[in-house]
């Protein structure tokens, strides 16, 4: 699923300045929230994991733990970072390194 499919401007913008200021650009939270919402209530049954460069490294133990659930949603923006609100309010399974 492409994040650009969940934007509403004519340029399909997915990045913005960090909430609260700071240097660089991050992925906006709105496309992530809309993408997860489009999956329906079943995706909320299992963990929603944010893959992030600032998370802990993904291990075999993580893979085993996550594979035991009935569903799993991985959020990965292929970008340096995402808006902190995605980690705070959407991800339920913790952030892990790509």
């Amino acid at each position: 699923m492409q994040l650009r499919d969940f934007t509403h401007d004519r340029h399909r913008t997915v990045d913005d300045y960090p909430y609260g200021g700071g240097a660089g650009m991050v992925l906006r939270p709105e496309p992530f929230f809309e993408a997860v919402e489009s999956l329906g209530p079943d995706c909320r049954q299992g963990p929603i994991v944010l893959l992030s460069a600032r998370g802990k490294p993904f291990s075999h133990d993580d893979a085993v733990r996550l594979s035991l659930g009935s569903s799993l949603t991985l959020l990965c923006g292929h970008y340096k970072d995402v808006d902190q609100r995605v980690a705070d309010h959407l991800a339920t399974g913790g952030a892990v390194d790509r």
Side-chain angles (χ1 to χ4, degrees), residues 3-21:
L3 286 178
R4 291 188 188 277
D5 295 339
F6 299 95
T7 60
H8 301 289
D9 64 322
R10 72 180 214 178
H11 300 291
R12 297 173 38 154
T13 307
V14 294
D15 61 346
D16 201 355
Y17 294 102
Y19 179 73

Side-chain angles (χ1 to χ4, degrees), residues 45-88:
Q45 301 286 334
I48 299 173
V49 178
L50 173 62
L51 302 174
S52 171
R54 62 186 157 131
K56 70 180 186 73
F58 190 75
S59 69
H60 178 74
D61 291 338
D62 293 325
V64 170
R65 176 178 52 86
L66 293 171
S67 71
L68 298 175
S70 61
S71 69
L72 170 64
T73 303
L74 298 175
L75 304 176
C76 181
H78 300 284
Y79 208 73
K80 180 181 176 186
D81 212 352
V82 300
D83 190 287
Q84 183 62 37
R85 291 172 284 187
V86 174
D88 291 345

Side-chain angles (χ1 to χ4, degrees), residues 9-48:
D9 64 322
R10 72 180 214 178
H11 300 291
R12 297 173 38 154
T13 307
V14 294
D15 61 346
D16 201 355
Y17 294 102
Y19 179 73
M25 302 289 278
V26 296
L27 288 172
R28 300 173 56 156
E30 295 87 358
F32 280 101
F33 282 89
E34 289 187 31
V36 169
E37 186 177 309
S38 76
L39 296 174
D42 291 340
C43 85
R44 296 280 186 173
Q45 301 286 334
I48 299 173

